[in-house]
Amino acid sequence: MKPSLAKGTRDFTALEVARRRFIINILQKNFELFGFQPLETPSFENLSTLTGKYGEEGDRLIFKILNSSINEAKEDKKNTMLLDFQKALDKPFSSENITDKALRYDLTVPFARFVAMNHNQLTFPFKRYQIQPVWRADRPQKGRYREFYQCDADVVGSESLLQEVDLVQLYLKSFAELGVSVTIHINNRKILSGLAEFAGITDKLIDFTVALDKLDKIGKDGVVKELLERGIAQESIDKLDFLFTQSNDALENLLQLKEKFAGNEIGLKGVEELEMVITQSLNLGVDIQNLVFDITLARGLDYYTGAIFEVKADEVQMGSIGGGGRYDNLTEVFGVKNIPGIGISFGLDRIYLVMEELGLFPEEATSKVEYLFANFGGNEILEALKLIRQLREKGISAEIYPEAAKIGKQFTYAEKKGIKNLVFLGEEEIKNGNVTYKDLEAGEQKTVSLEEFLG
């Protein structure tokens, strides 16, 4: 049987792993500079922990897995359970014998579960970052996979809007160090609720935001069509038409909303919060071109309650490469109230694709062996191994070719593997206390003293 990969998954070569680590190291450094501490959670959760947190569409993308009880069943019951599972493949999973656990869909809900379970031991505000894979039963396409990494930073236990301002700074600093020019799109869930109240469709808020969130994919006509299909009247849609003709001036758009939201308490609250975040960010030197009030930004996750973010690369068509928002009520579903939270996520896989397309990875973002020692056989091997050990103790990568093959074969190995230098430690070099090496990139060969070589 010919081997193959499951759809939406990938293998990573040494070069790809090194480049991914380059991105992760920059993010991790900045997370810790901003006061976040690391956390890891299990790859799968109880299904009840995840369902109902991501909205109608999100719930459909949760990867459900076999109930672990199948491994504990008696042998004579296993076959029956497996047959039941086989039958279930042709219909939606619903049997308790089949699914009561699922792979995590994101890192935020597991984090909220962690906080709910450990809130008595945590010091608030509690700031954590998490870099782990997540899984979604989505249709694979460029920049969208079924298994991918998220890099999250969240703060819980604070309602202060300074957290939003700080997260804007974290985004911009991190992407600047990666060399990626970005625009942060920002909105507020309270503004969306205010718009629903303004249009008289408060009972259709979720339908409204789910459709609006698809604007960049299906355009105005597509959104209007979906709103009608979701039972929203044309009269209400007409009242919201101004959403599609916003100016480039964020503060001017907020002023327009203030007029429309007269007497609309929740809408005005959203405008006030967003105005503060944008104004403070601009006062800190953020370029207005990098922070855009996007009134049509909805992000179709049910748990957002305040600010919502989406980050897009300026020079590559890739969709969002980051996003997040405030979720003041998330831990309540786990029985713990009054723990507000806000968080953002960096999309590692999409950031990688953007940097690759723009040629932004530096030379040091590759994992290469510094020295390959040629194998001549005989007594020279022991001397080479001693010198390799000394290099490794200095943190310099080195290895010896395992067989005493023809030197041409050893050259070819070094070139194909991208090794920088080929070292010749023969009888003459050992006798004189020297080392001869060839820089394979520059094509230059040198003989230096052992002391100079070890530097």
Side-chain angles (χ1 to χ4, degrees):
M1 182 177 178
K2 186 177 180 180
S4 62
L5 280 170
K7 286 184 178 180
T9 65
R10 296 150 295 158
D11 293 319
F12 297 110
T13 65
L15 175 62
E16 290 167 330
V17 170
R19 288 178 168 181
R20 287 165 67 86
R21 284 179 180 171
F22 173 77
I23 297 171
I24 288 172
N25 288 342
I26 286 179
L27 298 182
Q28 184 172 319
K29 181 199 72 173
N30 282 312
F31 288 155
E32 294 181 0
L33 279 175
F34 278 70
F36 295 88
Q37 297 179 319
L39 175 73
E40 292 187 357
T41 59
S43 58
F44 62 91
E45 299 272 351
N46 290 324
L47 182 60
S48 59
T49 297
L50 302 179
T51 52
K53 315 302 188 304
Y54 306 108
E56 176 187 336
E57 294 195 5
D59 280 355
R60 286 203 298 266
L61 301 181
I62 294 174
F63 261 119
K64 303 175 182 68
I65 61 178
L66 279 174
N67 189 328
S68 58
S69 64
I70 192 170
N71 297 318
E72 302 158 7
K74 292 182 179 180
E75 195 64 36
D76 59 350
K77 290 187 66 179
K78 282 188 179 179
N79 289 336
T80 301
M81 293 181 72
L82 287 169
L83 285 172
D84 289 343
F85 173 63
Q86 186 63 43
K87 294 175 183 177
L89 289 176
D90 297 325
K91 59 184 179 181
F93 289 4
S94 59
S95 168
E96 291 184 3
N97 288 330
I98 300 301
T99 55
D100 70 346
K101 295 179 180 64
L103 296 176
R104 61 172 172 245
Y105 177 92
D106 72 350
L107 300 178
T108 305
V109 171
F111 172 55
R113 187 265 309 151
F114 170 84
V115 172
M117 291 178 64
N118 298 280
H119 65 281
N120 289 327
Q121 289 79 45
L122 299 177
T123 300
F124 293 105
F126 178 63
K127 304 175 74 172
R128 84 84 170 87
Y129 74 86
Q130 194 169 346
I131 302 174
Q132 286 187 281
V134 298
W135 294 266
R136 296 183 184 179
D138 212 341
R139 178 179 297 175
Q141 54 186 284
K142 183 180 179 182
R144 188 183 296 275
Y145 306 100
R146 289 177 172 173
E147 178 186 59
F148 58 97
Y149 269 72
Q150 284 189 338
C151 309
D152 285 12
D154 291 74
V155 188
V156 293
S158 172
E159 294 181 337
S160 171
L161 294 177
L162 292 178
Q163 306 295 353
E164 279 86 334
V165 176
D166 214 33
L167 291 175
V168 169
Q169 304 295 311
L170 175 57
Y171 260 144
L172 293 176
K173 185 177 188 302
S174 299
F175 281 113
E177 290 186 20
L178 290 168
V180 179
S181 175
V182 299
T183 299
I184 301 176
H185 295 251
I186 185 171
N187 197 5
N188 191 297
R189 195 78 176 191
K190 294 183 180 72
I191 288 177
L192 294 171
S193 297
L195 289 170
E197 183 176 320
F198 170 75
I201 53 171
T202 303
D203 59 330
K204 295 282 187 178
L205 175 61
I206 299 301
D207 292 304
F208 166 57
T209 56
V210 167
L212 192 63
D213 197 42
K214 299 177 182 177
L215 179 64
D216 60 340
K217 298 175 184 176
I218 61 178
K220 175 184 175 181
D221 292 342
V223 170
V224 170
K225 180 182 177 183
E226 184 163 334
L227 289 173
L228 290 170
E229 290 173 350
R230 289 176 175 269
I232 295 176
Q234 184 65 53
E235 181 183 356
S236 296
I237 296 173
D238 290 341
K239 292 186 71 174
L240 297 170
D241 189 66
F242 73 95
L243 296 178
F244 306 107
T245 57
Q246 294 290 291
S247 75
N248 293 324
D249 188 324
L251 298 179
E252 179 184 315
N253 291 336
L254 285 171
L255 181 61
Q256 181 186 34
L257 276 181
K258 281 183 181 179
E259 297 172 357
K260 292 184 180 296
F261 284 166
N264 185 327
E265 184 177 346
I266 190 168
L268 289 173
K269 180 65 174 174
V271 170
E272 177 188 328
E273 291 179 2
L274 192 55
E275 191 173 36
M276 183 275 186
V277 173
I278 292 175
T279 301
Q280 289 284 44
S281 296
L282 296 179
N283 289 340
L284 287 169
V286 173
D287 191 323
I288 189 64
Q289 302 299 319
N290 297 123
L291 186 61
V292 174
F293 167 36
D294 185 349
I295 197 171
T296 64
L297 174 62
R299 292 191 65 80
L301 297 181
D302 284 356
Y303 54 66
Y304 289 133
T305 57
I308 43 181
F309 302 97
E310 194 159 275
V311 183
K312 295 184 180 180
D314 294 333
E315 300 173 271
V316 177
Q317 292 295 319
M318 184 58 68
S320 63
I321 58 175
R326 180 167 284 281
Y327 46 89
D328 286 345
N329 303 318
L330 193 58
T331 57
E332 287 190 19
V333 300
F334 299 116
V336 180
K337 297 182 178 181
N338 302 320
I339 303 183
I342 182 170
I344 58 173
S345 180
F346 292 78
L348 173 63
D349 299 282
R350 288 189 175 185
I351 293 171
Y352 183 104
L353 291 173
V354 169
M355 293 183 66
E356 184 177 51
E357 185 168 332
L358 297 176
L360 296 175
F361 286 109
E363 178 66 24
E364 60 265 27
T366 59
S367 179
K368 290 185 178 181
V369 175
E370 190 75 21
Y371 295 103
L372 173 69
F373 281 67
N375 188 330
F376 297 111
N379 296 328
E380 292 90 348
I381 292 177
L382 178 59
E383 296 304 318
L385 290 174
K386 288 179 180 178
L387 188 49
I388 287 171
R389 184 182 66 182
Q390 290 178 275
L391 287 170
R392 289 171 176 170
E393 286 175 352
K394 290 177 171 290
I396 300 171
S397 59
E399 62 176 271
I400 189 169
Y401 194 80
E403 286 87 29
K406 291 181 178 180
I407 196 65
K409 184 175 182 179
Q410 299 186 50
F411 259 111
T412 300
Y413 172 81
E415 289 172 348
K416 286 186 175 180
K417 197 173 177 181
I419 295 173
K420 296 180 179 179
N421 301 284
L422 184 59
V423 180
F424 307 102
L425 192 64
E427 184 178 339
E428 191 69 23
E429 282 84 7
I430 294 170
K431 178 182 175 181
N432 296 319
N434 293 330
V435 176
T436 299
Y437 69 93
K438 184 169 185 177
D439 183 329
L440 297 179
E441 295 177 351
E444 298 176 352
Q445 184 166 310
K446 294 181 180 179
T447 298
V448 299
S449 68
L450 185 60
E451 291 76 13
E452 184 180 346
F453 181 72
L454 290 172

